[in-house]
């Protein structure tokens, strides 16, 4: 890449504005984390019940069954006492304990999780630089930093106290350590799969890479912790997991969760939610999409690591429900899209399109002068359906470009090499 002294004046101004904007968004995320961190707070109450030898998932199921259909998911009165909104398995809550103030208090959990999120951000930045952008020019490091601190995913993770940065940082550490120390990589992967909905396809990839020790170490870690929690509470592990799965099912099925769970992000599943077909048909369609994704990942398993990891990140978001905070998995695709800025100077738009889509949610959700996009869409679901199709199509186009340039092979795709000076 050209160094900063060779950049045009227009690009210098543009990159400077991007930096200022990213810092402003990052500060806003920090403000939200210290003021609210609402999701992390609700995770705390699930953990608290488990530590008190109570089945938080059974309590949650009983509670959700009593909530009227017209009550929005975020306004469930009494949800804290019922174990919070948390939809994580018991082993995950136990692994979170050291990172969330050892469940001392909601305040301690909030500040501890915020501190660790800063560490997770640093890990993501470090691993991407160290593993995929060695000896990179300063402008590349600068743009990566801008993206990681300014993207909507980071702001939302911080302000809500969410877990995607935790999971992404742990998975990147897994990739960084897998050829250095299998045991440390296994520990990192155990932390990564604490968010199973985000890591299921990445877990498959580890199996396809024949990283069995890493995969089994993560699996055994969660199994042992689950058995320990069930013994601590005094219920069968089968009953405990069944109650957990039932809480997930009830949460997604409740009409009050429409805007919060079922129509978030860019997934095909969100679009199917609006189509009036039997639930069994939707399940078959999603199952088919999952199988297709798995087959494609299998076909590309021996391709270079980074393009396949990026592919899995895209497929993860497109197949199933994911909020904007989960878009952090797309940070790993930055070194690839950066090549449009380095190797293809006359065709830079895919790089800026990638940046735009990761920044876009910062200003696509309005709450200004009495107008709130969430309230508008809740009353006009036909517009929400149209938006979901358009928004998903934007990322499908990005995925198409990604596959065309990085996964077609040497005969058609852009050559992938570590970016060097």
């Amino acid at each position: 890449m050209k160094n900063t002294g060779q950049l045009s004046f227009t690009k210098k101004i543009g990159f400077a504005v991007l930096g200022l904007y990213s810092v402003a968004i990052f500060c806003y995320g920090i403000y939200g984390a210290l003021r609210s961190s609402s999701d992390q707070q609700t995770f705390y109450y699930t953990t608290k019940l488990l530590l008190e030898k109570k089945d938080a998932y059974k309590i949650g199921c009983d509670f959700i069954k009593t909530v009227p259909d017209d009550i929005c998911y975020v306004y469930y009165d009494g949800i804290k006492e019922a174990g919070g909104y948390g939809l994580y398995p018991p082993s995950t809550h136990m692994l979170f304990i050291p990172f969330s103030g050892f469940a001392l208090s909601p305040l301690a959990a909030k500040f501890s999780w915020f501190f660790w999120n800063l560490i997770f951000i640093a890990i993501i930045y470090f691993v991407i630089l160290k593993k995929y952008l060695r000896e990179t020019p300063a402008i590349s490091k600068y743009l990566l930093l801008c993206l990681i601190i300014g993207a909507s995913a980071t702001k939302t993770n911080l302000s809500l106290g969410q877990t995607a940065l935790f999971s992404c940082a742990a998975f990147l550490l897994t990739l960084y350590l897998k050829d250095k120390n299998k045991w440390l990589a296994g520990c990192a992967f155990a932390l990564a799969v604490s968010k199973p909905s985000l890591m299921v396809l990445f877990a498959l990839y580890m199996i396809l890479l024949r990283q069995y020790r890493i995969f089994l170490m993560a699996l055994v870690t969660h199994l042992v912790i689950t058995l320990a929690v069930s013994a601590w509470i005094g219920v069968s592990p089968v009953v405990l997991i069944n109650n957990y799965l039932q809480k997930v099912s009830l949460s997604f099925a409740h009409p009050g969760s429409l805007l919060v769970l079922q129509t978030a992000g860019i997934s095909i599943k969100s679009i199917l939610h609006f189509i009036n077909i039997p639930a069994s048909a939707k399940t078959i369609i999603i199952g088919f999409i999952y199988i297709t994704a798995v087959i494609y990942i299998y076909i590309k398993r021996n391709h270079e690591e980074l393009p396949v990891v990026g592919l899995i990140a895209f497929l993860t978001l497109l197949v199933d429900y994911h909020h904007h905070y989960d878009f952090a998995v797309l940070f790993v695709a930055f070194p690839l899209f950066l090549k449009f800025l380095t190797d293809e100077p006359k065709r830079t738009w895919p790089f800026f399109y990638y940046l735009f889509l990761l920044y876009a949610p910062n200003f696509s959700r309005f709450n200004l002068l009495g107008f709130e996009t969430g309230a508008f869409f809740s009353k006009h679901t036909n517009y929400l359906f149209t938006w979901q199709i358009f928004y998903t199509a934007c990322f499908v186009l990005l995925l198409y470009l990604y596959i065309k340039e990085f996964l077609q092979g040497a005969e058609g795709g852009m050559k992938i090499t570590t970016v060097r000076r």
Side-chain angles (χ1 to χ4, degrees):
M1 178 183 286
K2 299 176 182 179
N3 60 42
T4 52
Q6 295 174 303
L7 290 175
S8 68
F9 178 76
T10 302
K11 282 188 177 180
K12 287 181 181 179
I13 294 297
F15 289 159
V17 171
L18 180 67
L20 291 173
Y21 176 76
S22 297
V23 170
I25 291 297
F26 188 58
C27 291
Y28 184 76
I30 291 174
Y31 167 74
L34 299 179
R35 180 180 64 90
S36 174
S37 199
S38 56
D39 284 359
Q40 198 289 321
Q41 295 292 274
T42 196
F43 302 154
Y44 165 83
Y45 290 102
T46 304
T47 305
K48 184 172 181 290
L49 286 177
L50 292 172
L51 292 176
E52 292 175 350
K53 297 187 177 183
K54 297 176 182 177
D55 186 344
Y57 307 106
K58 177 66 167 60
I59 296 171
C61 288
D62 293 341
F63 172 83
I64 294 172
K65 291 174 183 177
T66 67
V67 178
D69 289 352
D70 60 342
I71 301 297
C72 180
Y73 188 76
V74 296
Y75 299 123
Y76 287 178
D77 187 29
I79 188 66
K80 288 182 179 179
E81 293 75 14
Y85 303 103
L87 300 178
Y88 291 94
S91 57
T92 293
H93 283 283
M94 297 301 102
L95 287 174
F96 282 166
I97 286 178
F99 302 94
S100 56
F102 295 93
L104 294 176
S105 71
L107 186 62
K110 176 197 300 188
F111 283 99
S112 178
W113 192 254
F114 163 68
F115 168 78
W116 278 103
N117 261 329
L118 298 182
I119 301 297
F120 303 149
I121 290 170
I123 290 172
I124 291 170
Y125 182 72
F126 169 81
V127 174
I128 291 177
L129 277 187
K130 192 76 172 178
K131 188 171 176 64
Y132 302 117
L133 291 174
R134 295 192 305 273
E135 302 176 21
T136 188
I139 188 63
S140 301
K141 298 176 183 178
Y142 169 78
L143 290 173
L144 175 61
L145 181 61
C146 287
L147 175 65
I148 291 177
I149 67 172
S152 175
T154 301
K155 181 206 71 177
T156 312
N157 268 283
L158 290 174
S159 60
L160 294 179
Q162 261 292 336
T163 61
L165 293 174
F166 174 93
S167 188
C168 291
F171 179 67
L172 283 170
L173 273 180
T174 303
L175 294 179
Y176 183 72
L177 294 168
K178 67 180 176 64
D179 297 322
K180 303 176 185 294
N181 189 309
K182 299 292 185 185
W183 296 111
L184 287 178
C187 290
F189 195 55
L191 295 177
V193 297
S194 292
K195 190 174 178 66
S197 62
L198 194 63
M199 286 290 132
V200 59
L201 292 180
F202 291 105
L204 168 69
Y205 180 57
M206 298 305 290
I207 295 173
L208 294 178
L209 287 181
R210 299 183 180 180
Q211 298 290 341
Y212 302 126
R213 189 189 308 175
I214 294 173
F215 175 82
L216 288 175
M217 186 172 179
L219 178 63
V220 170
T221 298
H222 283 270
L223 285 176
V224 169
I225 294 176
T226 300
L227 291 173
V229 172
S230 67
W232 173 256
I233 295 174
V235 300
S236 162
V238 175
V239 172
L240 181 64
I241 294 301
N242 182 67
N243 288 338
Y244 157 65
L245 295 174
Q246 186 180 11
K247 184 180 179 183
V248 174
S249 177
L250 287 172
S251 296
F252 276 94
H254 193 276
S257 70
L258 170 66
L259 285 172
V260 182
L261 295 180
Q262 294 146 312
T263 56
I266 54 172
S267 76
I268 304 300
K269 201 171 186 179
S270 293
I271 294 175
L272 288 176
H273 173 78
F274 292 96
I275 301 175
N276 189 24
I277 58 176
S280 57
K282 294 179 184 177
T283 301
I284 292 172
I285 293 172
I286 293 301
F288 174 77
I289 295 174
Y290 256 116
I291 292 172
T292 303
V294 168
I295 292 173
Y296 190 61
I297 293 169
Y298 177 79
I299 292 172
K300 296 296 182 181
R301 69 191 185 283
N302 293 323
H303 203 285
E304 291 182 71
E305 177 184 275
L306 182 57
V308 178
V309 169
L311 170 70
I312 296 171
F314 275 105
L315 294 178
T316 294
L317 297 179
L318 284 166
V319 172
D320 217 330
Y321 297 122
H322 289 282
H323 280 271
H324 290 111
Y325 43 70
D326 287 342
F327 286 22
V329 294
L330 294 182
F331 291 160
V332 74
F334 174 86
L336 297 175
F337 282 103
L338 183 66
K339 295 193 71 64
F340 285 103
L341 212 58
T342 60
D343 295 352
E344 299 284 340
K346 295 182 179 179
R347 190 163 66 102
T348 61
W349 73 266
F351 173 74
F352 291 106
Y353 183 59
Y354 162 77
L355 287 187
F356 170 75
L357 288 182
L358 289 187
Y359 277 90
N362 284 331
F363 47 85
S364 66
R365 290 186 169 188
F366 294 106
N367 187 359
L368 183 66
L369 301 177
F371 176 80
E372 184 179 350
T373 50
F376 175 79
F377 281 140
S378 67
K379 297 174 183 177
H380 303 84
T381 53
N382 55 326
Y383 288 111
L384 178 59
F385 178 50
T386 303
W387 169 253
Q388 284 294 139
I389 292 176
F390 170 76
Y391 191 42
T392 302
C394 289
F395 278 87
V396 170
L397 172 59
L398 190 65
L399 174 61
Y400 167 76
L401 288 168
Y402 185 90
I403 292 174
K404 180 175 181 291
E405 299 293 344
F406 308 123
L407 287 161
Q408 283 189 338
E411 69 279 2
M414 184 184 291
K415 182 175 176 56
I416 310 302
T417 57
T418 303
V419 177
R420 296 180 180 273
R421 188 181 297 275

